[in-house]
């Protein structure tokens, strides 16, 4: 069997590429031992990676802002070709190209049966929910690699109906593993619907996906806030209004200049725990975005929070922030009867419908997030560019399968 090259965390702001063993049809020992399961996985497949993307959640680890150990493999946005399958895999075959939800789910537990696949009970002994290549998520090998093992394949894989069509639209379809469903989930959980006015905090890839999804859901005005001029320009490229939070002024005033009123119908936090205050050179204030969206969203509204918040942050601004305890004005949200939705997006709830939109030519998500193809060897440099605020969604093409 060939070796398998994979991207790993080497220390704060450093990633490297290492060769590890070709994957086996086995679940991680820590999952098997921790949950009293057999390690052999006849329900699994091996994928040859077609595309795998760099995510802002990866960047949190690479910045040293989680408890990820040196050597942690990276990558949870996975699209690949089945090259090997276990005896219990019934409904996908070798040669199929499939999207993989970043949440690993057994398809058998109470949470999976309720459609809450982001908090599966049988894939991580430490807590509900697991993901590929992520700290405290079960020890599953990451997918920024040449090959990866996918468990419970019949449940987890979304097979594309036509191979040639899939390869033609692969830069859109690769977004189904995470950011398109995650952005869509943020918009749906914020209550975005026909005619809504929407504020999306953050113009990174997830924020752009949430803004794009808001258009798909029929919003009348979508406003994106950020401090990065290039990312704000990317938001404007598909019809969003923007507010530059590096400039003086309060968010409600900026919204009023666009809408004629200081509040929106729905708001999405696509920033998470590394949020900064307002103004040029603002310091980190992890509750800024949550407090902003409560302030700037009408009473009785909903807030979608796909932005990542963690329980362990070695680089937190104070002792509370280091354990995920931040200064949210909950009383304000309570007074305004806001609803909050947090946690991992349950990707399977949305990915098939979003695939259908892409295949029908009705969702150009790759263009919206500025998908940029790179090789596996170029990934360390792409991490540096992304950390510096590049207005791009880096798509790794380990085997040269993405058309020029």
């Amino acid at each position: 069997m060939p070796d398998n090259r994979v991207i790993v965390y080497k220390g704060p702001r450093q990633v490297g590429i290492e060769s590890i063993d070709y994957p086996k049809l086995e679940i991680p020992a820590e999952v098997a031992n921790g949950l009293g399961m057999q390690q052999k996985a006849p329900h699994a497949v091996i994928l040859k990676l077609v595309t795998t993307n760099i995510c802002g959640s990866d960047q949190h680890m690479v910045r040293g802002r989680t408890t990820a150990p040196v050597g942690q493999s990276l990558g949870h946005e996975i699209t690949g070709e089945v090259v090997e399958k276990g005896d219990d895999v019934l409904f996908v075959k070798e040669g199929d190209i499939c999207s993989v939800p970043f949440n690993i789910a057994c398809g058998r537990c109470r949470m999976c049966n309720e459609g809450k696949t982001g908090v599966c009970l049988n894939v991580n002994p430490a807590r509900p929910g697991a993901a590929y290549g992520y700290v405290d998520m079960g020890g599953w090998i990451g997918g920024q690699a040449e090959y990866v093992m996918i468990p419970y394949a019949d449940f987890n894989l979304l097979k594309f109906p036509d191979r040639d069509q899939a390869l033609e639209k692969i830069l859109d379809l690769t977004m189904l593993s995470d950011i398109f469903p995650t952005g869509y989930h943020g918009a749906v959980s914020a209550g975005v619907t026909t005619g809504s006015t929407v504020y999306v905090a953050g113009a990174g890839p997830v924020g752009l996906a949430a803004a794009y999804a808001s258009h798909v859901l029929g919003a009348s005005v979508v406003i994106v806030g950020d401090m990065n001029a290039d990312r704000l320009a990317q938001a404007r490229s598909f019809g969003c209004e923007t507010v530059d939070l590096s400039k003086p002024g309060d968010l409600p005033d900026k919204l009023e200049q666009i809408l004629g009123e200081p509040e929106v119908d729905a708001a999405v936090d696509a920033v998470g725990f590394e949020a900064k205050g307002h103004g040029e050179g603002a310091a980190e204030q992890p509750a800024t975005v949550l407090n902003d969206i409560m302030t700037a969203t009408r009473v009785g509204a909903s807030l979608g929070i796909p932005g990542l918040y963690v329980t362990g942050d070695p680089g937190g601004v104070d002792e509370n922030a280091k354990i995920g305890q931040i200064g949210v004005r909950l009383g304000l949200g309570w007074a305004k009867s806001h609803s909050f939705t947090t946690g991992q997006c349950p990707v399977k709830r949305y990915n098939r419908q979003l695939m259908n939109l892409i295949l029908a030519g009705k969702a150009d998500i790759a263009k919206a997030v500025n998908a940029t193809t790179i090789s596996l060897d170029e990934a360390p440099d792409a991490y540096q560019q992304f950390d510096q605020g590049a207005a791009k969604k880096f798509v790794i093409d380990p085997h040269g399968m993405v058309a020029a």
Side-chain angles (χ1 to χ4, degrees), residues 10-16 54 59 62-63 231 374 378-391 394:
K10 304 291 284 185
R13 288 185 159 80
Q14 297 179 59
V15 301
I54 297 175
Q59 201 73 55
V62 172
R63 290 190 188 113
R231 289 181 171 183
I374 59 172
E378 292 172 308
D381 179 64
Y383 265 99
Q384 294 290 333
Q385 292 183 49
F386 193 35
D387 188 43
Q388 293 164 12
F394 288 105

Side-chain angles (χ1 to χ4, degrees), residues 286-291 294 309 324-333 340:
T288 296
V289 171
L290 293 172
N291 291 330
M294 285 189 287
Y309 289 86
Q325 183 172 313
I326 60 177
V328 177
R329 296 181 62 198
L330 187 58
L332 174 61
F340 300 73

Side-chain angles (χ1 to χ4, degrees), residues 2-315:
D3 286 337
N4 181 29
R5 296 201 305 155
V6 62
I7 297 172
V8 298
Y9 171 60
K10 304 291 284 185
R13 288 185 159 80
Q14 297 179 59
V15 301
I17 301 170
E18 295 183 359
S19 290
I20 61 174
D21 290 339
Y22 185 84
K24 299 178 181 179
L25 297 174
E26 294 180 352
I27 64 174
E30 67 181 85
V31 175
N33 296 335
L35 294 172
M37 302 161 63
Q38 69 171 19
Q39 194 168 4
K40 186 178 179 182
H43 49 75
V45 301
I46 307 299
L47 293 187
K48 176 183 178 181
L49 271 294
V50 177
T51 53
T52 175
N53 316 324
I54 297 175
C55 180
S57 297
D58 300 319
Q59 201 73 55
H60 292 305
M61 286 189 289
V62 172
R63 290 190 188 113
R65 295 300 298 270
T66 73
T67 55
V70 171
Q72 167 77 54
S73 63
L74 300 175
H76 55 270
E77 300 192 10
I78 298 167
T79 306
E81 176 185 359
V82 177
V83 293
E84 183 181 346
K85 66 174 191 168
D87 291 340
D88 289 349
V89 178
L90 304 179
F91 304 114
V92 293
K93 63 182 185 299
E94 292 180 7
D96 286 341
I97 296 180
C98 306
S99 178
V100 184
F102 77 89
N103 345 86
I104 303 169
C106 73
R108 297 159 165 81
C109 71
R110 174 179 176 176
M111 292 297 100
C112 287
N113 280 316
E114 292 180 3
K116 300 172 183 176
T117 52
V119 283
C120 174
L121 303 175
N122 291 329
V123 287
N124 184 355
R127 65 179 69 177
Y132 304 90
Y134 211 83
V135 59
D136 296 330
M137 284 290 177
W140 302 84
I141 298 297
Q144 287 172 11
E146 294 174 321
Y147 300 90
V148 69
M149 186 276 294
I150 306 299
Y152 309 108
D154 282 326
F155 184 71
N156 283 308
L157 294 182
L158 174 65
K159 181 174 70 174
F160 300 138
D162 181 87
R163 179 186 177 88
D164 291 340
Q165 185 187 33
L167 289 173
E168 180 183 343
K169 292 184 173 290
I170 196 65
L171 289 182
D172 292 302
L173 294 171
T174 192
M175 305 305 166
L176 293 173
S177 58
D178 184 352
I179 68 163
F180 198 9
T182 293
Y184 192 85
H185 178 62
V188 167
S189 57
V192 177
T193 187
T194 306
S196 296
T197 59
V198 184
Y199 175 67
V200 177
V206 169
L208 295 173
Y212 187 85
S214 296
H215 285 304
V216 170
L217 289 163
S220 59
V221 183
V222 180
I223 304 168
V224 178
D226 204 293
M227 299 182 184
N228 182 314
D230 291 339
R231 289 181 171 183
L232 290 173
Q234 185 63 31
R236 289 192 294 272
S237 75
F238 58 94
C240 298
E241 301 287 340
T242 59
V243 291
D244 186 344
L245 299 173
S246 70
K247 306 294 185 184
D250 294 331
L251 178 60
D253 294 336
K254 295 174 186 289
L255 297 180
E256 187 166 22
Q257 291 174 16
I258 297 169
L259 299 171
E261 58 183 1
E263 292 183 321
V264 291
D265 297 321
V268 178
D269 171 4
V271 177
F273 73 103
E274 287 192 70
K276 295 181 179 180
H278 297 176
E280 187 174 359
E284 188 170 308
Q285 296 179 20
T288 296
V289 171
L290 293 172
N291 291 330
D292 270 356
I293 62 176
M294 285 189 287
T295 301
T297 308
R298 64 170 174 79
V299 296
S302 298
L303 310 176
I305 310 174
L308 176 67
Y309 289 86
V310 296
T311 56
D313 173 13

Side-chain angles (χ1 to χ4, degrees), residues 171-172 174-175 234 365-373 391-395:
L171 289 182
D172 292 302
T174 192
M175 305 305 166
Q234 185 63 31
I365 185 64
K367 184 177 180 181
V369 300
N370 195 19
T372 303
T373 307
K392 298 177 181 179
K393 176 66 173 177
F394 288 105
V395 176

